[in-house]
Amino acid sequence: MTESGDSDPQAVRALAEALGVAINPDHLAEVAQAWAMMAPHRALITAAPLGPQDEPAGVFRP
Amino acid sequence: MTTPLYTLGAAQIGEAVRAGQLSAVAVLEAVLARLEALGSLNAFRVTLAERGRREARAVDAIVARGDDPGPLAGAPYGVKDLYDIERLATAAGSKIGAEGPPAARDAVLIERLTAAGAVLFGVQVMDEYAYGFTTQNAHYGAARNPHDPARSAGGSSGGSAAAVAAGLGAFSLGSDTNGSIRVPASLCGVFGLKPTYGRLPRTGSFPFVFDLDHLGPFARNVEDLALVYDVLQGHDAGDAACAFRAREPVSTSLDAATALRVGVLDGWFADMAGAEALAATALAAQVLGAEERVTLGGAQAARSAAFLLTAASGGELHSANLATRPQDFDPATRGRLLAGQLLPASEVLRAQRVRRHFHAEALAAFADYDVLLAPATPCPAPRLDGGTIVIGGQGVAARPNLGLLTQPISAIGLPVISAPMRADGGLPIGVQIIAPPWREDLAFAAALALQRAGVTLANELAPC
């Protein structure tokens, strides 16, 4: 398990600007750290072996 | 020497108060005095002494005139800081919420407890907006573990679990989006129930992730957990996700437990657990006669799906305040919420599909088992000043990772009881008893078997 990912604050700032998400420059480092923490999780779900029957759960009904 | 009233459980108090052998006011005063003595645990953000006294007097008056106040008569309790309480702002652990308008009415679950005679006396500390597993809060401080105040109570319902472990209430209410009942129950040594998603109405509680949020109780023994759970059950139209199901009481049939088919989860749940967690799970398995191992290959991806959905949903929920007053957030939650807003829609949808895939895998396993066991946390309570835990030989941040064994299960809405065991070093650690959807009764049966075997911390107060 790794927690490392791209934590470049300037890359995160550029992404946020493109999406219209306002980030105070004083808070950029903590956002970059959190963004990096998500990297392994994003990779895992991208690699998950899904089929057409695996519909989005949405509001979940167990 | 008489038994201190703050040590009594909810069922004990209810029986004695209804029989006129004990005063609800006397029980409440004993708990308020203990709260005064143990204030340094920081389990409560607000004490509602006057409301509690008013409710306790009302219960005693009902008994005095020969009527029945309900099964929880005089049982004192607190709620996590995200339940609406009439005339009080619902802070949800935040500065922003505390500055908001007061709630017009109590949360539905509080209304049900009041109708059953329970006595509300406080609001319990949590991670800001429930986003954390350690209850370290920049605005209101950290809830301390009553087994060792230098250690975390777990989170995000840390105040609620710590209170019950310390005798500051006979039970409490928390919430569990990714493990926020089960993690603090594990670290504080109390029973915690996360019911099936949609079982209990969330009407009048502050949300975090709409399709992962669950409400549920903590208690010091299985009977109390069942009694409170039964009072809480029932549909309410105020929560769109609350199922149209009749109440399915468990407290009246607890003694009717039949032989259970029990499996032990391995793979992710064993690989990420430390020695104490594995030993506690092995002991529970031995008592329950579980010999077979079960692998759910999608657990790690389901945990990741929950991790991402939480960031995305939480970020969206708070987007307006993040844009206009980010300085008012706890720095520990702010970065994660803002990062959640950057996730692509395609990944959010894919995370939902991963949940569905894992759901199908888990349901297939229940064809062969009534309940599945897994550690609730990878380790006992970490120190508050450390900030990290060791997983698989690698140090990782405690706040986002203490729930890595609970997240896959809440991601698919299964009912779970965390049963408190004792780790080798003396600190508590919980074992998850996981049941199929709507079969809380099976989890209760297994939890009762563990309690009766004497391997849990049932009815033990933390040595604080």
Side-chain angles (χ1 to χ4, degrees), chain A residues 23-57:
Chain A
I23 298 178
N24 183 314
D26 292 343
H27 306 151
L28 190 56
E30 67 196 40
V31 180
Q33 185 182 19
W35 182 247
M37 199 187 299
M38 290 198 284
H41 300 293
R42 298 172 64 201
L44 261 171
I45 67 156
T46 300
L50 301 178
Q53 75 281 3
D54 298 311
E55 63 182 35

Side-chain angles (χ1 to χ4, degrees), chain B residues 194-288:
Chain B
K194 185 206 77 63
T196 308
Y197 180 81
R199 171 74 84 177
L200 300 184
R202 303 166 300 183
T203 316
S205 64
F206 195 88
F208 182 15
V209 182
F210 290 101
D211 53 351
L212 294 177
D213 290 343
H214 308 68
L215 304 181
F218 296 92
R220 288 191 292 271
N221 61 63
V222 176
E223 293 88 345
D224 283 359
L225 196 73
L227 186 60
V228 174
Y229 168 59
D230 282 354
V231 167
L232 299 177
Q233 286 188 53
H235 176 260
D236 182 80
D239 178 357
C242 189
F244 290 95
R245 289 183 74 91
R247 295 175 67 255
E248 296 172 296
V250 296
S251 60
T252 50
S253 56
L254 271 179
D255 289 331
T258 55
L260 296 169
R261 301 170 299 159
V262 183
V264 181
L265 291 176
D266 64 5
W268 173 256
F269 297 94
D271 297 343
M272 295 295 114
E276 297 101 329
L278 292 173
T281 305
L283 176 57
Q286 180 188 344
V287 169
L288 296 173

Side-chain angles (χ1 to χ4, degrees), chain B residues 3-330:
Chain B
T3 303
L5 296 181
Y6 61 77
T7 66
L8 300 179
Q12 277 180 294
I13 294 169
E15 287 174 19
V17 168
R18 292 165 101 183
Q21 298 163 346
L22 184 62
S23 149
V25 169
V27 176
L28 177 66
E29 293 300 338
V31 171
L32 290 175
R34 182 149 174 95
L35 178 56
E36 181 87 17
L38 296 179
S40 61
L41 288 178
N42 196 37
F44 287 78
R45 185 177 75 81
V46 179
T47 304
L48 302 171
E50 284 316 305
R51 173 172 171 154
R53 289 183 175 114
R54 189 172 66 247
E55 292 186 352
R57 284 194 298 268
V59 167
D60 286 338
I62 291 171
V63 174
R65 67 171 183 257
D67 293 329
D68 184 359
L72 292 172
Y77 75 102
V79 296
K80 186 176 184 176
D81 188 16
L82 50 64
Y83 285 79
D84 283 354
I85 296 173
E86 187 180 5
R87 292 196 288 273
L88 204 68
T90 307
S94 72
K95 174 177 185 284
I96 294 169
E99 295 172 354
R105 57 177 275 198
D106 289 344
V108 161
L109 295 191
I110 293 177
E111 290 177 346
R112 291 177 179 176
L113 290 169
T114 304
V119 172
L120 177 64
F121 74 96
V123 181
Q124 292 154 336
V125 171
M126 58 183 282
D127 290 283
E128 186 184 58
Y129 296 127
Y131 208 170
F133 289 120
T134 57
T135 308
Q136 290 171 288
N137 186 306
H139 313 298
Y140 306 112
R144 296 186 173 274
N145 193 310
H147 290 267
D148 179 350
R151 295 180 184 273
S152 170
S156 63
S157 312
S160 306
V164 172
L168 304 175
F171 68 94
S172 65
L173 296 186
S175 71
D176 189 316
T177 300
N178 284 293
S180 286
I181 288 175
R182 292 161 288 160
V183 169
S186 174
L187 302 192
C188 290
V190 296
F191 289 91
L193 168 66
K194 185 206 77 63
T196 308
Y197 180 81
R199 171 74 84 177
L200 300 184
R202 303 166 300 183
T203 316
S205 64
F206 195 88
F208 182 15
V209 182
F210 290 101
D211 53 351
L212 294 177
D213 290 343
H214 308 68
L215 304 181
F218 296 92
R220 288 191 292 271
N221 61 63
V222 176
E223 293 88 345
D224 283 359
L225 196 73
L227 186 60
V228 174
Y229 168 59
D230 282 354
V231 167
L232 299 177
Q233 286 188 53
H235 176 260
D236 182 80
D239 178 357
C242 189
F244 290 95
R245 289 183 74 91
R247 295 175 67 255
E248 296 172 296
V250 296
S251 60
T252 50
S253 56
L254 271 179
D255 289 331
T258 55
L260 296 169
R261 301 170 299 159
V262 183
V264 181
L265 291 176
D266 64 5
W268 173 256
F269 297 94
D271 297 343
M272 295 295 114
E276 297 101 329
L278 292 173
T281 305
L283 176 57
Q286 180 188 344
V287 169
L288 296 173
E291 296 178 352
E292 296 181 30
R293 303 273 159 178
V294 182
T295 302
L296 300 178
Q300 184 179 7
R303 188 255 174 161
S304 290
F307 196 100
L308 297 175
L309 287 169
T310 298
S313 295
E316 189 281 327
L317 180 66
H318 296 288
S319 58
N321 284 329
L322 287 165
T324 58
R325 49 190 300 193
Q327 72 282 358
D328 290 332
F329 282 76
D330 185 328

Side-chain angles (χ1 to χ4, degrees), chain A residues 1 3 30 42 45 48 58, chain B residues 211 304 334 347 350 394 401:
Chain A
M1 188 176 70
E3 293 200 325
E30 67 196 40
R42 298 172 64 201
I45 67 156
Chain B
D211 53 351
S304 290
R334 181 177 53 216
E347 292 183 13
R350 190 164 180 88
Q394 182 185 354
N401 288 303

Side-chain angles (χ1 to χ4, degrees), chain B residues 389-444:
Chain B
I389 55 176
V390 176
I391 306 286
Q394 182 185 354
V396 297
R399 187 181 174 107
N401 288 303
L402 269 169
L404 56 77
L405 302 177
T406 52
Q407 283 179 287
I409 307 304
S410 36
I412 55 172
L414 302 178
V416 191
I417 289 176
S418 179
M421 315 286 280
R422 194 188 308 279
D424 285 345
L427 289 169
I429 193 160
V431 172
Q432 294 186 87
I433 304 168
I434 305 158
W438 313 114
R439 294 306 307 271
E440 285 85 351
D441 61 308
L442 296 174
F444 272 100

